[in-house]
Amino acid sequence: MAKSADFPYVQPMQITAMTIPGHIDPVPVPRAPTLRADGRIDLIGLSKDQLRATLADAGLDAKQAKLRAKQIWHWIYNRGATEFSAMTDIARAQHPWMTERFVVGRPEVVEAQVSSDGTRKWLLRSPDAQDYEMVFIPDADRGTLCVSSQVGCTLNCTFCHTGTMRLVRNLTAGEIVGQVMLARDSLGEWPSQPDGRMLTNIVMMGMGEPLYNFDAVRDALKLVMDGDGLGLSRRRITLSTSGVVPMMARAGAEIGVNLAVSLHAVTKVVRDEIVPLNRKYGIEELLQACADYPGANNARRITFEYVMLKDKNDSDADARELVRLLRHYDLPAKVNLIPFNPWPGADYECSTPERIRAFSDIVFGAGISAPVRTPRGRDIDAACGQLRTAAEKKSRAQVDREAAEQLTALA
Ligand code: SAH
Ligand code: SF4
């Protein structure tokens, strides 16, 4: 198979999952069009230029490659076509040539569940047998797709079930945009059109830390935002980070979507415990990066997520300190209070409704919006922080060992 200078082809075995004990830096995995077991290339996830280069590598002359790339792009992202035979403006004689070399794939669906509140969850599987999940949350006036960026997560936030998954691998751009395409398939929303969609919003709040998989997330979101293709406005996309400070400016400059930050605590002691990344990038540094985030203003506020954990981060003093911090950094902010979603073996309890109300009132009283998020899809484990596939769970001893290693690495 020919190689392109732009992006090396990678054999599937090279992108197998890695076990990463307490790792807190970006996970280096190759970015490349996936070569399937049958040797064909999956075109999903390639940029326009990569698509053209792939066709040229396969033997089309430059002019043909340019024309076909434009046509195929439109069929894939605007029409949702998965067969070359459906691409009616491409000469029929060329269809077998394409089918021999390429596919327009979708993630394999292992299981699809529907919650009593209408939330849907899909368990998906990659060609190298890694499982990840996506969730669709319908509301009266919108429909939000919660997209995963990694299989598992390396960050071990203590209240999050995803952080207990033993295997971690970055999803490719194709696997990330593939989630959106699959959702469009199942909602019957092709061709892409600006009005009357059910899928109106995307949140990068599924499994994983999106800023630890920056390139793939950026490339996938560029495909999602492309006006000739999926056509979702960047104002309807939100990226949530637990606070990977060095990548936040790049996220603003190169992706430009709405930002959500998982703050969850206002003191070093508590945030160090529940979001261990805080030991590397502390609260002040994080809030300064938020203040510097391009595009944040009163019309486009930064969302601060705050999980309500009983007797941990939910006092009146915590609420007042939150207000002080947001004011000190002069942040155009809204606060999202998330009732803790329990999972088997979690060490925390959710704050009482009265406590959450009191906390919310203090923040509201200071003129900052602080709605309490209604948990969705709890009965199918689709709510925030509950996503975790059946992959082997870490033992207690392993979690402790990783925490110790993480501390040593940070010392
Ligand atoms: N890794 C990113 C995005 C995914 S998590 C991040 O941490 O921001 C989406 C949100 O759910 C985050 O704010 C996360 O902290 C929160 N969350 C995790 N576990 C939770 C739980 N058990 N209950 C409620 N919210 C949780
Ligand atoms: Fe990872 Fe986010 Fe869960 Fe923390 S809350 S472990 S960063 S997915």
Side-chain angles (χ1 to χ4, degrees):
M1 180 72 56
K3 286 198 174 196
S4 152
D6 287 348
F7 45 89
Y9 293 106
V10 171
Q11 297 299 330
M13 65 267 276
Q14 282 176 264
I15 52 166
T16 50
M18 296 170 282
T19 306
I20 303 163
H23 189 92
I24 62 154
D25 283 319
V27 183
V29 291
R31 303 164 52 214
T34 313
L35 253 202
R36 300 149 34 101
D38 63 11
R40 293 187 294 172
I41 295 169
D42 191 342
L43 299 181
I44 295 284
L46 301 186
S47 69
K48 279 179 184 162
D49 283 348
Q50 287 174 331
L51 181 55
R52 188 169 35 76
T54 301
L55 295 176
D57 273 353
L60 294 190
D61 68 40
K63 204 168 146 228
Q64 270 271 321
K66 189 168 174 214
L67 172 69
R68 294 299 181 225
K70 191 165 181 283
Q71 292 166 319
I72 293 174
W73 171 277
H74 182 82
W75 282 107
I76 293 180
Y77 293 107
N78 187 277
R79 308 291 293 270
T82 53
E83 303 291 339
F84 295 104
S85 56
M87 303 182 183
T88 46
D89 52 0
I90 296 176
R92 199 177 298 168
Q94 215 171 35
H95 293 170
W97 182 87
M98 289 184 173
T99 308
E100 258 170 47
R101 289 163 181 78
F102 309 117
V103 290
V104 180
R106 291 289 189 267
E108 179 194 344
V109 178
V110 182
E111 198 183 352
Q113 288 174 279
V114 184
S115 156
S116 54
D117 68 14
T119 301
R120 303 190 203 180
K121 180 171 90 169
W122 288 262
L123 175 63
L124 308 174
R125 183 161 295 164
S126 65
D128 62 333
Q130 295 307 306
D131 291 351
Y132 51 103
E133 296 182 331
M134 71 169 189
V135 176
F136 180 68
I137 307 153
D139 277 303
D141 58 341
R142 61 164 67 183
T144 306
L145 188 70
C146 181
V147 172
S148 291
S149 56
Q150 298 182 305
V151 173
C153 184
T154 55
L155 282 168
N156 294 326
C157 299
T158 49
F159 52 86
C160 174
H161 210 187
T162 308
T164 68
M165 279 176 65
R166 208 167 77 81
L167 295 176
V168 180
R169 125 151 132 68
N170 282 342
L171 292 176
T172 63
E175 288 163 342
I176 296 169
V177 73
Q179 296 172 60
V180 181
M181 312 216 28
L182 192 69
R184 279 263 172 98
D185 291 350
S186 75
L187 296 169
E189 301 212 311
W190 300 111
S192 297
Q193 61 203 14
D195 300 318
R197 289 173 182 164
M198 278 176 73
L199 200 180
T200 57
N201 291 58
I202 289 183
V203 291
M204 295 303 302
M205 292 187 187
M207 292 177 159
E209 167 49 58
L211 295 189
Y212 270 1
N213 187 14
F214 183 83
D215 289 0
V217 167
R218 176 200 55 208
D219 293 352
L221 290 181
K222 287 209 143 99
L223 293 170
V224 171
M225 292 187 283
D226 194 295
D228 301 344
L230 294 166
L232 252 109
S233 147
R234 68 194 170 95
R235 291 170 193 281
R236 291 186 171 274
I237 302 175
T238 301
L239 184 150
S240 175
T241 179
S242 55
V244 185
V245 168
M247 300 309 288
M248 285 170 59
R250 277 190 70 193
E254 296 177 36
I255 312 177
V257 295
N258 302 322
L259 183 67
V261 171
S262 294
L263 189 62
H264 301 320
V266 289
T267 65
K268 175 166 169 54
V269 173
V270 177
R271 197 162 192 270
D272 274 359
E273 177 194 324
I274 67 178
V275 184
L277 185 66
N278 194 64
R279 298 170 201 165
K280 188 154 188 181
Y281 310 116
I283 293 174
E284 287 73 23
E285 225 180 313
L286 174 58
L287 294 180
Q288 188 56 51
C290 291
D292 297 339
Y293 188 76
N297 55 45
N298 279 333
R300 256 182 113 203
R301 293 164 189 274
I302 296 175
T303 303
F304 289 90
E305 293 156 288
Y306 200 98
V307 64
M308 298 302 296
L309 303 173
K310 188 175 184 182
D311 298 333
K312 182 54 73 182
N313 63 356
D314 62 351
S315 69
D316 285 356
D318 288 319
R320 284 193 291 267
E321 176 62 4
L322 177 59
V323 169
R324 189 192 71 78
L325 283 169
L326 296 178
R327 281 193 179 145
H328 179 77
Y329 287 89
D330 199 15
L331 288 162
K334 56 186 173 197
V335 173
N336 227 326
L337 299 176
I338 316 176
F340 170 63
N341 291 308
W343 40 274
D347 286 339
Y348 301 98
E349 277 179 65
C350 184
S351 310
T352 61
E354 300 73 41
R355 189 83 301 275
I356 298 178
R357 175 59 44 213
F359 193 106
S360 169
D361 286 347
I362 290 174
V363 182
F364 259 121
I368 300 167
S369 154
V372 180
R373 195 190 282 173
T374 316
R376 299 288 303 268
R378 266 190 181 172
D379 54 338
I380 55 166
D381 286 345
C384 295
Q386 289 188 320
L387 299 186
R388 213 197 78 97
T389 61
E392 189 192 337
K393 189 171 173 354
K394 290 173 187 169
S395 68
R396 183 71 243 174
Q398 189 181 356
V399 171
D400 291 345
R401 194 167 53 245
E402 289 180 13
E405 279 169 5
Q406 212 168 48
L407 272 178
T408 318
L410 291 169

